[in-house]
Amino acid sequence: MSYPPYGPRELGRTGVTVPPLGLGCAPLGNLYRAVSEERARDVVRTAFATGAAYFDTAPHYGLGLSEERLGRALRGRDRAAYTLSTKVGRRLRPLAPGETVDGQGFVDTPARARVRDLTRDGIRATLDASLARLGVDAVDIVYLHDVEHHLPEVYATGFPALAELRDQQRVRAIGFGMNRSDVLARLVADLDVDVVLCAGRWTLLERTAFDDLLPVCARRGTSVIVGGVYNSGLLADPSPGAPYDYAPAPRALLRRARRLAAVCAEFDVPLKAAALRFPFGHPAVAAVVVGAATPEEAGQNAELFTRDIPDALWHTLVERGLLAPDLPLPLTAPGA
């Protein structure tokens, strides 16, 4: 499947390439609802069939369940046929007898607990455990995960440990994954970061990353993977009660999302298709990753991503005050 007008892009200067649409694998770890083993496998198969063969996972997702299921679904595949990323910063350990933990949104998870660990040995042990669950010798990208409240440890041991793994060629690209674009901007400015995964801050509703993160990435040659393009669901279905940033959407944002949907409808473009395409207006963006709990969802995301979107839609959104005039637009005819 083609992704006009976008093809695979290199992350920084690493030689790692990603297709423009990737699969976020949190749902494979039973995020909010249980997913069967068969359904998880079919989601991965659909991603391959549609060309979305970049898979992003983490130990945090289902306390290792996402990695385990993804590993089983990838078994037997040509390792060169897909790009794989996971995360470090949370080490997993077995539960003690009688111990319970907060699933943090994940249900029916293995009997494990998360432990924040940004030490050199902890980073290496976390990655080794992920490789074992995934059943691979190496991943292409490793992100430090949700470390915005642990920056002293990041600078002292966490990032140096990742840089060492990159120097040893155990991993090809390294970076950070979180939804705080201001913190990501600081880290990219200070450190030799290949790629960041920024969730929810560069969307049809959110320009935060445009103001702080994206200029630094463009200057430093750091690639950006965009997650959370639907802003937790508001841009997927802007109905009353829709979530935004994991909480009920404020009324003003709900009204704006509904106005965005109405303009998209004038051009016969689903709001979700516009949300998927919008981040590519900025040249630092290499890909978007979107979760799917069913093969139908994965197939729909791919179909939406390939929709023709006329440049007139983007210009109309600017004219009606729904996009700021200084924002870069994903035009098919740049300069038009």
Side-chain angles (χ1 to χ4, degrees), residues 32-312:
Y32 305 129
R33 56 175 167 149
V35 173
S36 71
E37 183 78 15
E38 180 180 13
R39 181 164 291 180
R41 183 189 65 231
D42 289 344
V43 168
V44 175
R45 285 179 174 173
T46 301
F48 269 106
T50 58
Y54 165 42
F55 302 96
D56 176 66
T57 185
H60 172 61
Y61 300 159
L63 290 152
L65 182 61
S66 172
E67 290 179 321
E68 290 169 341
R69 285 179 161 170
L70 180 59
R72 289 191 286 269
L74 294 174
R75 191 169 299 151
R77 298 270 184 182
D78 179 0
R79 183 63 186 83
Y82 59 90
T83 304
L84 183 59
S85 62
T86 192
K87 306 180 182 74
V88 293
R90 292 181 178 96
R91 179 171 48 82
L92 301 181
R93 63 164 176 80
L95 288 182
E99 182 183 11
T100 60
V101 296
D102 179 1
Q104 299 183 34
F106 295 92
V107 302
D108 295 344
T109 58
R112 299 177 182 132
R114 303 171 180 89
V115 179
R116 180 63 68 177
D117 193 339
L118 292 167
T119 66
R120 177 182 181 275
D121 289 345
I123 294 290
R124 298 174 78 91
T126 301
L127 178 58
D128 287 343
S130 289
L131 296 177
R133 286 189 291 268
L134 288 163
V136 296
D137 294 329
V139 295
D140 301 290
I141 309 156
V142 177
Y143 301 107
L144 279 161
H145 197 192
D146 294 341
V147 293
E148 58 267 33
H149 301 301
H150 306 273
L151 294 185
E153 299 97 318
V154 167
Y155 283 92
T157 58
F159 190 79
L162 268 193
E164 182 181 58
L165 289 169
R166 181 179 59 187
D167 292 343
Q168 295 171 347
Q169 299 184 346
R170 287 199 58 196
V171 62
R172 300 170 66 195
I174 60 174
F176 297 88
M178 66 181 79
N179 58 15
R180 285 283 303 274
S181 61
D182 57 337
V183 176
L184 287 171
R186 171 183 167 182
L187 293 165
V188 170
D190 290 347
L191 302 168
D192 183 15
V193 179
D194 301 310
V195 56
V196 294
L197 199 169
C198 181
R201 304 285 81 89
W202 178 229
T203 73
L204 282 171
L205 290 170
E206 274 265 11
R207 63 171 288 155
T208 312
F210 177 71
D211 294 319
D212 50 30
L213 174 64
L214 293 172
V216 181
C217 289
R219 185 172 72 248
R220 298 276 285 168
T222 299
S223 295
V224 179
I225 308 293
V226 177
V229 294
Y230 301 144
N231 281 121
S232 302
L234 181 55
L235 287 172
D237 179 15
S239 300
Y244 170 82
D245 215 12
Y246 311 106
R251 281 184 293 180
L253 275 179
L254 177 60
R255 286 195 297 269
R256 185 172 161 218
R258 293 174 72 86
R259 290 181 62 202
L260 286 164
V263 174
C264 288
E266 293 179 24
F267 290 87
D268 195 28
V269 172
L271 177 60
K272 290 175 71 173
L276 282 166
R277 188 69 60 82
F278 172 75
F280 289 92
H282 198 284
V285 172
V288 297
V289 291
V290 186
T294 69
E296 291 78 17
E297 287 180 5
Q300 182 192 58
N301 286 332
E303 189 275 328
L304 289 167
F305 190 74
T306 61
R307 285 289 187 100
D308 289 331
I309 299 181
D311 289 349

